[in-house]
Amino acid sequence: MSKIKFYFIVLIAMITVSSCNKDNNDEEIIPPKPYAEQYPIDIAAIENYLNTHYISDVVNKPGFPEDQDVTISEITDASSPDQRSLMSYLNSNTLPRLTSRNVETSNEVGSPLGGLTYKIYTLVIREGVGNVGVGGEYPCNMDAVFAGYKGTLLDGTVFDSSNNGQTPFDLSSAGIIRGWSEAFPQFKTGWVSSNQDGTVNYNDFGVGVMFLPSAMGYYGNAQAGIPAYSPLVFSVKLYALKRADHDADGIPDFQEDVDPSHNRYMYVFATGVANPDDSDGDGIPDFLDIDDDNDTYSTRGEIKDKDGNYYAFDKIPDCSGDQTIANRLKRHLDKNCTKMNQ
Ligand SMILES: [Ca+2]
Ligand SMILES: [Ca+2]
Ligand SMILES: [Ca+2]
Ligand SMILES: [Ca+2]
């Protein structure tokens, strides 16, 4: 009962947040174009862009705000080896590497965005790496990121930028465009060092560009500098991340991501649709489930030792108390195991 109530509150909160974000420009009453009509136009325009543009500059000035600024220009001499098209890096074994992934929306609650499958391209120019075990991590689509960005239209017009600052964004927030939560998990963070004067340096952070169909951006809602139905190009720098624990059960979201085939991505599906990230099959994915095995004992209690301290995630025991067998069934996911605080 308390569990149902909890999700009801989460749902209400989500609906409230999204309805606040919708009507920034309510002067237009033109019905939006069907997604199935607009998406083929967008993806053709994006792929044309990838075939006709190249990386003309990447700034290399470590420690400076403009470090790793990326400039993309239109190809003027296709025979020049210095003007390799962005598309030529598709699935490259070396960096830069362009990859694509499909964002399926048909299983989600309310079948948003026309229930279509959207292709998102991301270009990784530099893989983020950590230092002595810190950083070099991928965010999941529910985490918060600390990032720099520059947004442009396909014609090169810059519509927004973090001006080489570092800005926090909660990828799970309804106020963030869908494309960001789908594309940021393709980049890794770097690491932060402190200077004697109290300032910090961002080192070895992930650098790249994301190419988003309009439905992954603002779709028909024109924004300052962004006409309706604009595909968006964001060059991004992923400095750092902050892990989320949406159900506050003591296990961060990224460790409640069960399905390895959709690594780093978790979704809420419509009632009756099996969710690979839902261990107990009760319709609530683990990252929102306060009782992941549905044994009526909260996950939070099942992952503490007898002194009330949380086990490190990879030390959570199985029902027998074993903490070493790699593929053991951890006891918070074992509905036949109701051991608390031991
Ligand atoms: Ca959690
Ligand atoms: Ca569940
Ligand atoms: Ca959980
Ligand atoms: Ca439980």
Side-chain angles (χ1 to χ4, degrees), residues 79-99:
S79 64
S80 166
D82 296 333
Q83 297 191 16
R84 273 188 65 177
S85 74
L86 299 171
M87 192 63 102
S88 74
Y89 295 106
L90 186 63
N91 299 324
S92 165
N93 289 325
T94 55
L95 297 176
R97 179 186 306 118
L98 182 73
T99 56

Side-chain angles (χ1 to χ4, degrees), residues 184-247:
F184 263 112
Q186 299 298 311
F187 299 94
K188 287 184 192 173
T189 59
W191 54 283
V192 182
S193 58
S194 300
N195 302 319
Q196 283 188 336
D197 63 0
T199 59
V200 295
N201 279 348
Y202 295 93
N203 311 289
D204 300 337
F205 47 85
V207 178
V209 189
M210 48 181 86
F211 307 90
L212 309 176
S214 62
M216 294 285 114
Y218 299 98
Y219 200 57
N221 298 312
Q223 309 286 309
I226 308 177
Y229 308 111
S230 297
L232 305 176
V233 178
F234 286 98
S235 79
V236 296
K237 306 175 190 180
L238 179 53
Y239 297 111
L241 62 78
K242 186 165 182 285
R243 294 298 189 188
D245 180 9
H246 274 91
D247 57 7

Side-chain angles (χ1 to χ4, degrees), residues 22-318:
K22 257 174 201 149
D23 36 32
N24 336 2
N25 56 342
D26 43 13
E27 73 276 5
E28 286 191 33
I29 314 168
I30 305 161
K33 285 197 214 172
Y35 290 100
E37 207 174 279
Q38 184 60 34
Y39 174 60
I41 297 170
D42 287 357
I43 197 64
I46 288 170
E47 290 178 345
N48 178 62
Y49 181 92
L50 294 170
N51 280 312
T52 56
H53 288 74
Y54 72 106
I55 306 165
S56 54
D57 189 42
V58 180
V59 174
N60 186 21
K61 280 182 83 174
F64 287 82
E66 64 271 33
D67 184 34
Q68 303 300 314
D69 273 2
V70 174
T71 307
I72 291 177
S73 303
E74 192 165 2
I75 293 173
T76 54
D77 177 5
S79 64
S80 166
D82 296 333
Q83 297 191 16
R84 273 188 65 177
S85 74
L86 299 171
M87 192 63 102
S88 74
Y89 295 106
L90 186 63
N91 299 324
S92 165
N93 289 325
T94 55
L95 297 176
R97 179 186 306 118
L98 182 73
T99 56
S100 73
R101 58 182 295 272
N102 291 322
V103 177
E104 295 173 25
T105 65
S106 59
N107 287 333
E108 293 170 30
V109 180
S111 201
L113 305 172
L116 301 188
T117 296
Y118 295 91
K119 185 183 269 192
I120 286 187
Y121 286 94
T122 48
L123 177 72
V124 175
I125 294 175
R126 185 171 83 173
E127 201 128 60
V129 291
N131 184 37
V132 287
V134 177
E137 291 180 293
Y138 288 110
C140 77
N141 66 333
M142 292 294 154
D143 286 330
V145 297
F146 203 51
Y149 69 94
K150 185 176 73 174
T152 57
L153 306 177
L154 293 182
D155 68 5
T157 308
V158 178
F159 60 79
D160 193 13
S161 147
S162 59
N163 291 318
N164 286 320
Q166 294 83 29
T167 315
F169 299 98
D170 178 356
L171 298 181
S172 74
S173 159
I176 293 289
I177 57 168
R178 177 70 183 262
W180 274 30
S181 67
E182 300 292 344
F184 263 112
Q186 299 298 311
F187 299 94
K188 287 184 192 173
T189 59
W191 54 283
V192 182
S193 58
S194 300
N195 302 319
Q196 283 188 336
D197 63 0
T199 59
V200 295
N201 279 348
Y202 295 93
N203 311 289
D204 300 337
F205 47 85
V207 178
V209 189
M210 48 181 86
F211 307 90
L212 309 176
S214 62
M216 294 285 114
Y218 299 98
Y219 200 57
N221 298 312
Q223 309 286 309
I226 308 177
Y229 308 111
S230 297
L232 305 176
V233 178
F234 286 98
S235 79
V236 296
K237 306 175 190 180
L238 179 53
Y239 297 111
L241 62 78
K242 186 165 182 285
R243 294 298 189 188
D245 180 9
H246 274 91
D247 57 7
D249 66 356
I251 304 181
D253 291 31
F254 82 106
Q255 288 173 324
E256 298 211 73
D257 176 15
V258 184
D259 175 17
S261 68
H262 291 98
N263 222 353
R264 308 193 291 277
Y265 294 93
M266 289 155 271
Y267 302 98
V268 179
F269 285 169
T271 307
V273 179
N275 189 327
D277 293 317
D278 176 14
S279 289
D280 58 10
D282 67 350
I284 303 160
D286 287 19
F287 79 101
L288 293 176
D289 199 336
I290 58 173
D291 175 9
D292 292 295
D293 55 4
N294 219 0
D295 62 0
T296 75
Y297 289 81
S298 71
T299 292
R300 181 176 275 282
E302 294 191 280
I303 59 168
K304 286 179 185 173
D305 65 19
K306 61 178 170 23
D307 299 320
N309 299 316
Y310 287 106
Y311 288 106
F313 181 73
D314 59 358
K315 293 291 181 192
I316 298 172
D318 68 9

